[in-house]
Amino acid sequence: MKKQVGEKMAGSEEKEQVNAKNFFASLQKQVKERREAAAKLSAPEHKKAVEEELARVQKLHTENPGRYHDEVLLQGGGVENLLKHFGRVHLSPRNGQPKRLIVVISGNNEPLTRPWDRFDSYRGTMYMFDQMTKMNMENTDIIQLKAGEGFGAPAEFHTSVALAHIQNIINDAIAGVGAFTGRTYDRARMYGFSYGAGACERVLEGLEKRSKDGGAIPRIERTVYLDGVEYGTFGTALRKRSGLSQQHYHLHQKNLMDGYIPLNGNSLLAPNKSDFEMEMKRDSFDWMVQQKVKMDHRTLHDARYNRGTFDGILAALTHG
């Protein structure tokens, strides 16, 4: 009898694995087809497709924030759908107390979860979200978001659409609507890599305007940017920081990989006395790692090679 039960359980698990594999393959096929279709569009046609998707997104968000969150937030450990999911959240128990919000935003063409990464990488935002959800921090909510893709990407995850999702989700959290109903945040910390840093700045610009208009916003305790790039540009280094941030960490590199296209961040134009800034060089990384990989803008954000940096950023986001 025990053998039969064990065989049934093993068979059920194997069936689930096969179903998950087939579902994942189906999603990959859909994304491939959408990329191919987008590549065939003329510039005006592509612009129109992006505008139509933006209109659809904003209409759904305005009419029903809860249903909007069900569509765009990856929940319950499911499989990421690159055409729909733009974030995942870890929410502490609802208890009526003000909470701390931590937001991490990835760079161009980075997914939320590992299966989608075309480089088989473990992106910094993935690693930090995974680590923070294990910490059981009291009255702390965590949001991981992605910046979408530029350069003719399908409308569903074009950078313009991604930015709308980023702004909607963070604003909804602060407003306490949809998935964030009943929550209030009195303080926040934000991290962004590459386009993610640029997205942070765009969000903070909106919050600053909201504050000047008399709206309530959480205190921005700390921001951390890694190789920041102005959102939606062709690699223009982000050299500013929001005045809302009480303390800013600015980490960047310059041409770590010899002969590589110089896609990288740069130093701050006007740092505050409380800020921390560092130019990351080859000797910032473990010696063995330097022998195995060429460090560049992409590998800089891979937690397989740059774990020490992300553990430091984790500390900045969760302590002090």
Side-chain angles (χ1 to χ4, degrees), residues 1-11:
M1 176 66 74
K2 290 183 178 180
K3 183 178 180 181
Q4 291 178 346
V5 172
E7 288 175 348
K8 287 182 179 179
M9 290 178 64

Side-chain angles (χ1 to χ4, degrees), residues 110 114 117-128 130-131 226 284-296 298-311:
E110 291 188 355
R114 293 182 71 178
D117 196 281
R118 67 197 191 284
F119 297 110
D120 190 30
S121 301
Y122 191 21
R123 313 311 291 165
T125 43
M126 301 176 196
Y127 171 72
M128 290 192 291
D130 291 343
Q131 293 301 307
L226 177 62
S284 302
F285 306 94
D286 181 80
W287 184 85
M288 287 299 294
V289 169
Q290 294 180 41
Q291 312 311 306
K292 295 178 181 178
V293 299
K294 294 181 178 179
M295 300 306 299
D296 57 28
R298 178 180 62 79
T299 52
L300 185 71
H301 200 231
D302 192 331
R304 296 176 304 170
Y305 308 129
N306 200 9
R307 187 67 55 90
T309 294
F310 294 115
D311 286 340

Side-chain angles (χ1 to χ4, degrees), residues 207-320:
L207 292 181
E208 188 169 17
K209 182 178 184 304
R210 177 175 173 174
S211 177
K212 289 179 179 179
D213 291 341
I217 64 171
R219 183 174 75 256
I220 309 300
E221 296 180 315
R222 189 171 291 163
T223 49
V224 184
Y225 296 165
L226 177 62
D227 235 13
V229 172
E230 290 188 15
Y231 197 82
T233 66
F234 287 89
T236 302
L238 180 64
R239 307 189 66 186
K240 60 182 180 179
R241 47 94 86 214
S242 172
L244 289 180
S245 181
Q246 294 181 334
Q247 184 180 35
H248 180 65
Y249 286 60
H250 200 79
L251 312 175
H252 58 92
Q253 55 84 23
K254 292 184 180 179
N255 300 325
L256 290 177
M257 178 176 166
D258 294 334
Y260 185 70
I261 297 174
L263 177 60
N264 49 253
N266 207 329
S267 58
L268 283 170
L269 291 174
N272 289 354
K273 291 182 178 180
S274 62
D275 293 346
F276 173 83
E277 184 171 357
M278 183 175 76
E279 181 181 333
M280 307 184 72
K281 302 179 181 179
R282 288 184 183 277
D283 57 9
S284 302
F285 306 94
D286 181 80
W287 184 85
M288 287 299 294
V289 169
Q290 294 180 41
Q291 312 311 306
K292 295 178 181 178
V293 299
K294 294 181 178 179
M295 300 306 299
D296 57 28
H297 185 68
R298 178 180 62 79
T299 52
L300 185 71
H301 200 231
D302 192 331
R304 296 176 304 170
Y305 308 129
N306 200 9
R307 187 67 55 90
T309 294
F310 294 115
D311 286 340
I313 294 173
L314 265 174
L317 292 173
T318 60
H319 295 83

Side-chain angles (χ1 to χ4, degrees), residues 2-21:
K2 290 183 178 180
K3 183 178 180 181
Q4 291 178 346
V5 172
E7 288 175 348
K8 287 182 179 179
M9 290 178 64
S12 177
E13 290 176 358
E14 184 176 343
K15 184 176 180 181
E16 288 181 5
Q17 290 177 356
V18 170
N19 289 339
K21 185 176 181 180

Side-chain angles (χ1 to χ4, degrees), residues 69-82:
H69 293 156
D70 287 340
E71 176 178 314
V72 301
L73 295 177
L74 177 62
Q75 303 178 49
V79 178
E80 177 185 356
N81 185 336
L82 195 62

